[in-house]
Amino acid sequence: MLIDILKNEFRCSEKVVRTLITFLDEGTSIPFIARYRKDETQGMNDVTLRQFHDRYTYILKLEARRKSIITSLSNIKNTSIELIKSIENTDSLIELEELYRPYKASKQTKSQVAESLGLTSLSKKLWLNSSKAQHHGIASLWLSKRNINNLSIESAVEGAYNILIDKLANNADLIKESLNSLKESGVIESKVIRGKKEKSEKYRDYWDHKEKVAKAPHHRLLAMFRGEKEKLLKINIKLEKHIHADGTPLFLNKCALQLNFDDTITPCPSSMKPFWLSLVWKEKLLKHTERKILSTLKMDAEHNAVRVFSDNLKDLLMAPPAGATPVLALDPGYKNGVKYAAIDASGEVQSTGIVFATPPANKTVESETVLVNILKRQAIKWIVTGNGTASKETDTFARNMIRKHELNCKAIISSEAGASVYSASETASKEFPNIDVSLRGAISIARRFQDPLSELVKIAPKAIGVGQYQHDIKETTLNQSLANVVEDCVNSVGVDLNLASESLLQYVSGLTPTTARNIVEYRQSNGKFKNRETLLNIRGIGDKAFKMCAGFLKINDGNEPLDNTAVHPESYSLVYTLSKNLKMPIKQIIGNSDHIARIESEYKERYKEKEYYLFKNVISELSHPFRDPRPVFKYATFSSDIKNINDLSINMKLEGVITNITSFGAFVDIGVHQDGLIHISNISNQFIKDPRQVVRVGQTVNIEVIDLDISRRRISLKKIS
DNA sequence: GCGAACTGTCTAATTGGCCG
DNA sequence: CGGCCAATTAGACAGTTCGC
């Protein structure tokens, strides 16, 4: 069952599913499976593996819940076969809870109350009767034969109806048809809750909003759901077309109406069909279906939001590193001055301080004296300015300084998202206990330029703030998926065991915050690692953790050349054998495409099937030992004449950097303080569903200004190729 | 190689806050 | 004022590593 579902959804063999389940149960890390067990997974990548893992845990949870619900239902009398069937057939946890809800509550449902009054037999009579007009009389007769106190004819009829409605509402046919029609032609409607207009100004767009369910985009749905959660909006799903005058949908007519009393299935008289349909639709079906659709929509929208956030984070983490070059970073400010930090090629802080290069002080000359001195002394080639307040003025100052003093430097603006969060964090105060909080931000900007990944891992992923509607998503879900993104990024890039910070190490497959700290402590007291084997001396790292982490940790100048490749120690013996047979030292093989091509052609035949995959894998790791999947560093230049939105004009062509991507478009830093928006319709000549198909955060793009709304500070852009 | 200890994760219970 | 929901925390358990 479980295996079949996974097999079909992931289009792989049963064997692969079983292997993956074993791996996951054993706690084998996803980066490890993705890289070193390709042979057993038919080459699934980390993203697919994560999806597999999520799906697997979801199904496990679902089955466990299903089992426990069925067990507790078996203790309750009068549970219909229909109900049990629906419970057995559902594939969603939410639906499971919906079905179970009436039986979970200590108080009884209307139908249960009616049943306990013995109204089941009356309900059967009413069901078989062919005229509504007779219901009253039948109930009256039924009551007179029994001695039930305090029960009026009306309540008896109502009770009997409730029993029937309850049974009908579990009819799989009806549920399916209602779901389909509401999904296809339903209209989602949001209205402001009476008296909440003042409080819900930000939801003005949704005070009286209507659109087709099938076409409602995620971001609007999330906004509506947020409004609903804040009790400012009311959301409904309605059918506006293909309905009878009383609101009952036409399509329901084609459903068979039959009920199971005892062991026989009894259809109702055809003359009564419209009546029962209308009743069950209004009383239960509509609400039930509506709730179900809303919850699926919400879940989808949330998934999408998490995905958007994760994708943006991934782009930011995988942004091209400028590499080992000295940098001067400027963290711009007006009143409090511009904080600067100079770091050397290895990221060590050389000097920090504050200059008042911007208004109101405008101490340009003094500032230049300080900075030029630093730039020349350390032969710095890059001046990086954070993109916060006063960034444009600071950047202009830097450009003027470069021109005036004829420095061999380039000035650029880069994202400082998360830098302030970092500077106040515990990590930062541990790293720079003697440096003022405001100066740590500048250091972070500088280091991020050298290596975005290493610096950004020090900040909690959600603090980087690159998602839309991140507040609508459950925090744990978001944190989990963001941690997964960071883990995948860190492991795909690989980590230098002798240089990596504690923050970076903790994301390495198999390592934990504790083991990461122990590694750093070991390094401090014992010096650099000479080989991967030494990792086993670390407290907390045994065979298992070693297997998980070893391949992702590189050692640059150790005593085992293979430790500087992504070849896993478990395959070292294979490489030793090859090297011995070919009489070629390992050092010569690594990165030498001629030698590797020779090995490949000579040994291809000898390694078959499983071994062949392993062999291929080893060969590919050997051929590019320092593989860094990140793109090569490139930079955008902002024109120094354009400082703010008033300097822009329509049709102006500029260069910019993508700062954020949403489902409706991409935001671009074009050097004025306000980011511009390329609407999704202006990103590409062709129709695209998602801006990410074309652009990435951090990417340099050429754009044209197509519209300006100065009062609302909105800049509309078009991407030109 | 085995038991102890430690780490991490999962679950359950309690508490606090908010809404009706 | 009471009840419910959500979040947090503590405790238990499982798995891994360490020490003998």
Side-chain angles (χ1 to χ4, degrees), chain A residues 228-328:
Chain A
E228 191 192 31
K229 203 181 171 193
E230 289 173 27
K231 308 252 156 105
L232 300 172
L233 298 177
K234 194 173 152 50
I235 306 180
N236 280 105
I237 295 182
K238 281 190 175 158
L239 267 182
E240 296 189 328
K241 283 178 194 163
H242 316 299
I243 48 176
H244 292 293
D246 69 346
T248 318
L250 299 175
F251 70 86
L252 285 178
N253 290 350
K254 64 175 190 241
C255 297
L257 271 196
Q258 44 199 18
L259 283 182
N260 195 330
F261 295 95
D262 312 321
D263 279 328
T264 52
I265 292 171
T266 330
C268 76
S270 58
S271 60
M272 286 299 286
K273 216 175 148 182
F275 171 72
W276 293 119
L277 278 173
S278 161
L279 204 60
V280 70
W281 171 257
K282 278 187 209 147
E283 292 289 320
K284 278 227 154 155
L285 220 45
L286 173 62
K287 279 272 164 287
H288 176 92
T289 322
E290 191 183 13
R291 255 211 312 273
K292 199 165 156 187
I293 291 179
L294 285 175
S295 67
T296 0
L297 284 176
K298 194 171 177 182
M299 218 167 74
D300 286 353
E302 282 174 1
H303 270 144
N304 182 63
V306 171
R307 218 202 63 229
V308 168
F309 206 139
S310 305
D311 287 352
N312 284 342
L313 177 66
K314 187 173 180 181
D315 292 339
L316 218 51
L317 292 173
M318 298 299 271
T325 173
V327 182
L328 173 73

Side-chain angles (χ1 to χ4, degrees), chain A residues 178-389:
Chain A
S178 336
L179 255 175
N180 287 345
S181 94
L182 239 59
K183 249 188 218 163
E184 273 164 32
S185 43
V187 171
I188 185 165
E189 192 182 86
S190 76
K191 283 210 161 91
V192 64
I193 288 176
R194 210 178 300 167
K196 295 282 175 75
K197 272 196 180 172
E198 280 161 37
K199 279 187 183 173
S200 67
E201 187 55 39
K202 59 180 169 179
Y203 297 113
R204 180 178 271 279
D205 290 351
Y206 302 102
W207 282 1
D208 194 11
H209 180 77
K210 249 190 210 179
E211 66 186 307
K212 282 197 111 185
V213 169
K215 291 196 173 159
H218 290 134
H219 63 273
R220 279 212 290 273
L221 287 171
L222 280 173
M224 283 187 252
F225 286 131
R226 181 149 37 111
E228 191 192 31
K229 203 181 171 193
E230 289 173 27
K231 308 252 156 105
L232 300 172
L233 298 177
K234 194 173 152 50
I235 306 180
N236 280 105
I237 295 182
K238 281 190 175 158
L239 267 182
E240 296 189 328
K241 283 178 194 163
H242 316 299
I243 48 176
H244 292 293
D246 69 346
T248 318
L250 299 175
F251 70 86
L252 285 178
N253 290 350
K254 64 175 190 241
C255 297
L257 271 196
Q258 44 199 18
L259 283 182
N260 195 330
F261 295 95
D262 312 321
D263 279 328
T264 52
I265 292 171
T266 330
C268 76
S270 58
S271 60
M272 286 299 286
K273 216 175 148 182
F275 171 72
W276 293 119
L277 278 173
S278 161
L279 204 60
V280 70
W281 171 257
K282 278 187 209 147
E283 292 289 320
K284 278 227 154 155
L285 220 45
L286 173 62
K287 279 272 164 287
H288 176 92
T289 322
E290 191 183 13
R291 255 211 312 273
K292 199 165 156 187
I293 291 179
L294 285 175
S295 67
T296 0
L297 284 176
K298 194 171 177 182
M299 218 167 74
D300 286 353
E302 282 174 1
H303 270 144
N304 182 63
V306 171
R307 218 202 63 229
V308 168
F309 206 139
S310 305
D311 287 352
N312 284 342
L313 177 66
K314 187 173 180 181
D315 292 339
L316 218 51
L317 292 173
M318 298 299 271
T325 173
V327 182
L328 173 73
L330 303 174
D331 184 3
Y334 291 116
K335 227 167 125 192
N336 300 320
V338 175
K339 276 74 73 180
Y340 70 83
I343 59 172
D344 66 13
S346 63
E348 289 300 315
V349 178
Q350 300 299 313
S351 52
T352 56
I354 302 178
V355 290
F356 293 86
T358 51
N362 273 327
K363 294 186 178 169
T364 319
V365 181
E366 291 92 325
S367 308
E368 283 178 3
T369 316
V370 175
L371 296 177
V372 168
N373 188 12
I374 295 171
L375 289 165
K376 284 190 172 163
R377 196 174 59 218
Q378 290 180 238
I380 292 174
K381 296 266 182 346
W382 294 95
I383 303 176
V384 183
T385 303
N387 66 347
T389 326

Side-chain angles (χ1 to χ4, degrees), chain A residues 62 81 165 220 315 452 464 554:
Chain A
L62 179 77
I81 301 164
I165 291 169
R220 279 212 290 273
D315 292 339
I464 303 171
K554 296 187 260 193

Side-chain angles (χ1 to χ4, degrees), chain A residues 257 563 568 695:
Chain A
L257 271 196
D563 284 351
H568 197 276
V695 289

Side-chain angles (χ1 to χ4, degrees), chain A residues 580-648:
Chain A
K580 208 173 138 195
N581 291 350
L582 289 155
K583 298 198 174 60
M584 206 184 277
I586 288 169
K587 269 193 179 172
Q588 278 181 32
I589 302 175
I590 296 170
N592 186 321
S593 48
D594 292 341
H595 290 172
I596 286 165
R598 208 185 112 201
I599 296 175
E600 215 181 340
S601 63
E602 275 183 41
Y603 284 84
K604 211 159 46 184
E605 290 307 313
R606 283 201 217 168
Y607 296 97
K608 289 204 173 119
E609 295 187 16
K610 184 182 168 177
E611 279 175 321
Y612 177 67
Y613 254 106
L614 268 174
F615 171 74
K616 275 284 274 191
N617 213 355
V618 168
I619 289 296
S620 97
E621 300 297 359
L622 281 174
S623 60
H624 32 64
F626 296 106
R627 174 165 57 185
D628 187 331
R630 292 176 289 183
V632 178
F633 178 74
K634 214 186 128 202
Y635 72 101
T637 41
F638 298 134
S639 160
S640 53
D641 307 331
I642 296 157
K643 293 189 187 108
N644 68 51
I645 193 164
N646 298 312
D647 298 329
L648 294 170

